[in-house]
Structures are given as structure tokens and as C-alpha cells.
Amino acid sequence: MRDPIALMGAMDEEIKLLLEEMEDARSRKAAGITYTQGRFRGHEVVVCRCGVGKVNAAAAVQVLVSEFRAHALIFTGVAGALHPELEIGDIVVSSESMQHDMDASPLGFAPGVIPFQEEWLFPADRKLVALAEAACEKERVRFRVGRILSGDRFVADRNEVQRLRGEFDGLCTEMEGAAVAQVCRLNGLPHVVIRSMSDKANGEAPASFADFTAAASARSFAIVAGMLASWKES
């Protein structure tokens, strides 16, 4: 059996459609997280809901590497838009990810820089980015490719949006992607983060998030499904 492609989300809504379409599904738990293996769009996959936040995401990725021997990873889900031209339902494909809440500035490091580590911007795999772009174009959805910001904080303030956009030049903000990207990079695992905008990370974000999460997750699912439909194994 070929090593699987890993498909991850943080919440039930973000992986629900993936699980519903899997064939020969079988599940087991590791590190408190349920992993479901099976086939999806002709490929061996392993799907998991890691839970919210960077620690949960990092733990899940390491299990996918160490125990399931995943050979590529797609993280899918929702995010809050930072770029002023992004609307609810638009897609952001990661070119790179970083932690906006990493701050060792009292030690002389710029915000976002991980102290004593060479890499703090974690690039996505170019081939996976290209697959995601093609899937977005085929689905005729609005999308941008760029930097995704992650932090253990739900952003719901207009001033914070302006600060994150100005300081870090991110397209959107969420709570897992940079941790996923960092652990993937440490393990040499190709990855990409696909985010559908569920809110605009402003004063209306909590209500927008609740209202549009299911619809945004469905759009992310369509992009992931499109990627796997055209995925050619080497």
C-alpha cells in the first residue's frame, strides 16, 4: 500500500465532507486525535481533525509523519481575511506561513522571528500550490496565493487587522497553518494550506464565523477534492 496523502482540518466542519466521501474507511486514535484512513478520489489518504490551535496542529502533523508515513499534506479550513479585497468565500492558498504571535522583540528579534532558528517563514510546496491554483481556476472561485498568518488568538478587531496586515503583510489569519508548515518543514514533508474566508477578522467576525463556516468549509473541500482528482502520483 502506498504511503497516504494527509488531509487535515482543525474543526469537524472542515473535514466532514472528506470523511463522508471516503471509501474503505477505518479509524484509530493516536495522541488523543482520531485518524481515518481510506481512499478518496482514487488516492490513499489519512484524514484528521487536529483541534484548534498551534500545539494541537503540530502534534497531529508529527503523528501523521511518524506513524502514518504521510508523503504530502494538505491543511484545509477557514480563516479571517486581512487583505481588503478578500471577501467571505474567497480562497487563500499559502505561499508561506508564519506565526504572528511569536514575539521575542525584547531580545532584539523582530516580531514573528523565531529566536535562534534560521527559518521562520515556512514555504509551501510549489507543486501543491500549483495544484491548488488549478483547482481554484477550475471551480471558478476567487483566490489569492500569499502569506498566511497564524496565532493562538481569534482576531476580531479592526485595529488588529490593520496592524497584522501592515506589520506582516499577510492575506489572512488563522490558528494552525504556521505550526503545520513548521513541522512539515522539519520533517521534509511537502505541504500547502488552503483557507476559505469565513469572516473579515473585524468587529463582525464572531457572527460571520458562525454563519459562514459551513459554507466556507464546503468551498475548501471543493478545492481539495479538485486537487486530488488531478493529482498524479510519481
Side-chain angles (χ1 to χ4, degrees), residues 19-201:
L19 293 175
E20 287 177 353
E21 287 202 21
M22 284 181 68
E23 300 174 352
D24 302 321
R26 54 207 182 275
S27 299
R28 69 180 177 92
K29 276 193 172 184
I33 296 169
T34 298
Y35 297 83
T36 303
Q37 291 181 272
R39 292 188 64 78
F40 178 80
R41 303 293 165 100
H43 299 275
E44 290 293 327
V45 300
V46 54
V47 177
C48 74
R49 177 186 67 81
C50 64
V52 174
K54 293 184 295 179
V55 173
N56 283 329
V61 175
Q62 193 58 54
V63 170
L64 287 166
V65 172
S66 300
E67 296 198 26
F68 292 92
R69 302 181 62 83
H71 75 278
L73 186 149
I74 302 172
F75 192 95
T76 178
V78 299
L82 297 176
H83 193 287
E85 295 180 7
L86 283 170
E87 299 294 338
I88 291 174
D90 290 353
I91 295 288
V92 171
V93 178
S94 67
S95 60
E96 59 190 8
S97 304
M98 67 173 292
Q99 299 177 60
H100 67 75
D101 60 350
M102 173 62 67
D103 188 356
S105 53
L107 299 177
F109 297 92
V113 172
I114 302 174
F116 316 115
Q117 184 168 307
E118 291 184 3
E119 191 172 49
W120 48 273
L121 283 173
F122 302 105
D125 181 79
R126 292 182 180 180
K127 291 181 180 179
L128 296 184
V129 171
L131 272 178
E133 289 182 276
C136 287
E137 290 169 355
K138 187 174 182 179
E139 290 291 323
R140 298 183 179 180
V141 300
R142 284 167 38 104
F143 74 97
R144 287 178 177 268
V145 178
R147 182 179 297 173
I148 290 178
L149 307 183
S150 304
D152 286 321
R153 185 169 70 251
F154 187 90
V155 177
D157 178 81
R158 288 183 175 86
N159 292 330
E160 181 73 351
V161 168
Q162 293 177 358
R163 184 187 73 82
L164 292 176
R165 177 72 182 151
E167 188 168 4
F168 299 112
D169 195 28
L171 293 182
C172 65
T173 180
E174 37 87 301
M175 300 175 73
E176 297 86 24
V180 170
Q182 183 174 353
V183 179
C184 284
R185 292 285 291 176
L186 290 171
N187 286 280
L189 180 66
H191 84 281
V192 69
V193 179
I194 311 292
R195 291 293 194 179
S196 180
M197 301 303 101
S198 61
D199 61 84
K200 301 196 76 170

